[in-house]
Amino acid sequence: MDYQAIGQDALARIAGAQTLEAVEALRIEFLGKQGSVSALLKTLGGLSPEERQTTGPKIHALREEVTEALAGAKAALEAAALEARLASETVDLTLPAPEGPRGSVHPVSQVMDELAEIFADMGFAVATGPEIEDDWHNFTALNMPESHPARAMHDTFYLPDRTAEGREMVLRTHTSPVQIRTMLAASGASSDGGGAPVRIIAPGRVYRSDSDATHTPMFHQVEGLVIGKGIHLGHLKWTLETVLKAFFERDDIVLRLRPSYFPFTEPSVEVDTGYSWVDGRRVVGGSGDAPGHAWMELLGSGMVNRHVLEAGGFDPGQWQGFAFGVGVDRLAMLKYGMNDLRAFFDGDVRWLRHYGFSALDVPTLSAGVGVVA
Ligand code: PHE
């Protein structure tokens, strides 16, 4: 076949191709290694120099033409396919969007929210104070003057600077300094405590130089403070019982009050709760003296020491109060079944996905407190 006939045949068949697959098959048939146009090019080597001069450019031109025709056919078919898709497809705007990554609420935050909600039901406000405290609010005003042996009970982080008044600065070792700040704000200028009665909780971070399986250098407490007239230990016990029943969502919470010592409370009581082991987990409930049960220390508390009332601007002859401090991390472990405290602060996303809470769910406490004091 001469090259003209091959060229006409190729261009006609390319013009007639209906699909992209057909165009590709033609490309191989003409321009592939075994293709007919490629074969024409190979014949050039066997021609005389004169023939090559006249025929060579024509064969090259033919290859050029076929290549362009194939590209044109391909582009036209692709454009037609796009047109057809645009005409037939619609975008459904009512389809739900694909789910993106979601954060979760840390169990410590969840438990602080739950406690705030329970205490709010009983008329408690939430108070806060600085994490960098001065020595006076963290110790002295809480009846721990300098050189008081109880200061050694806290492994305190001291900061290099002092306050303008020359007080040493510390990372607060407990939330109790918020008691002092709250009392001073409530008592104000008046000598009899114009802002009383006081009912607050103070959740927050506290720091001690201590680290092992059950201690981390930063942990969380919730402080409680009530000041009023005629407040006594019975109010403390009832309040804690009511709150813990709501928190653990169980009616059978039994507390045991044990004499203890804190410089800022007098008398001081350690509060224990009964628990038992169920499937390898501590479950709070029942008396610690019941068969299969034991007592576990839960928190420290007591009646506000008269020196502390005075430091806060209240006359201890007229006002009484109770205070308590509870570890939030421990409460979270007990309620939600975590067993290693250090995992709380490792920042491992897998742990958070497992133990974290949805930010979209409001904390639900099935029972609430029921009684409003
Ligand atoms: N501040 C005490 C602690 O950190 C707890 C406590 C608070 C005890 C209030 C009594 C009253 O151990």
Side-chain angles (χ1 to χ4, degrees), residues 142 153-154 173-176 179 206 208 219 221-224 262 264-265 268-270 299-302 322-326:
L142 288 162
M153 283 162 55
H154 296 190
T173 56
H174 50 177
T175 41
S176 300
Q179 287 188 37
V206 301
R208 290 182 203 176
F219 57 104
Q221 290 187 334
V222 169
E223 192 81 8
F262 298 102
F264 30 91
T265 45
S268 299
V269 287
E270 207 91 53
L299 57 91
S301 62
F322 69 76
F324 59 87
V326 60

Side-chain angles (χ1 to χ4, degrees), residues 47-59:
L47 295 179
S48 70
E50 297 77 44
E51 279 177 314
R52 206 182 296 152
Q53 267 202 354
T54 53
T55 316
K58 292 179 180 162
I59 293 180

Side-chain angles (χ1 to χ4, degrees), residues 146-159:
E146 246 167 88
S147 82
H148 191 289
R151 285 198 181 199
M153 283 162 55
H154 296 190
D155 304 293
T156 310
F157 288 113
Y158 283 91
L159 281 94

Side-chain angles (χ1 to χ4, degrees), residues 1 27 42 56 63 102 137 146 166 175 187 212 247-248 256 262-263 283 300 309 316 326 337:
M1 220 194 281
R27 187 189 67 77
K42 281 179 202 152
R63 193 182 76 147
R102 252 198 225 167
H137 286 90
E146 246 167 88
T175 41
S187 59
D212 60 36
F247 177 74
F248 286 111
R256 180 178 74 174
F262 298 102
V283 174
L309 284 168
V326 60

Side-chain angles (χ1 to χ4, degrees), residues 233-246:
L233 269 183
H235 294 121
L236 169 67
K237 187 175 190 218
W238 178 86
T239 302
L240 292 176
E241 241 167 40
T242 307
V243 165
L244 291 169
K245 281 179 183 171

Side-chain angles (χ1 to χ4, degrees), residues 62-87:
L62 167 64
R63 193 182 76 147
E64 208 49 33
E65 227 183 314
V66 170
T67 305
E68 270 173 30
L70 284 166
K74 192 175 170 208
L77 285 167
E78 280 173 349
L82 181 61
E83 276 302 314
R85 263 188 70 186
L86 286 174

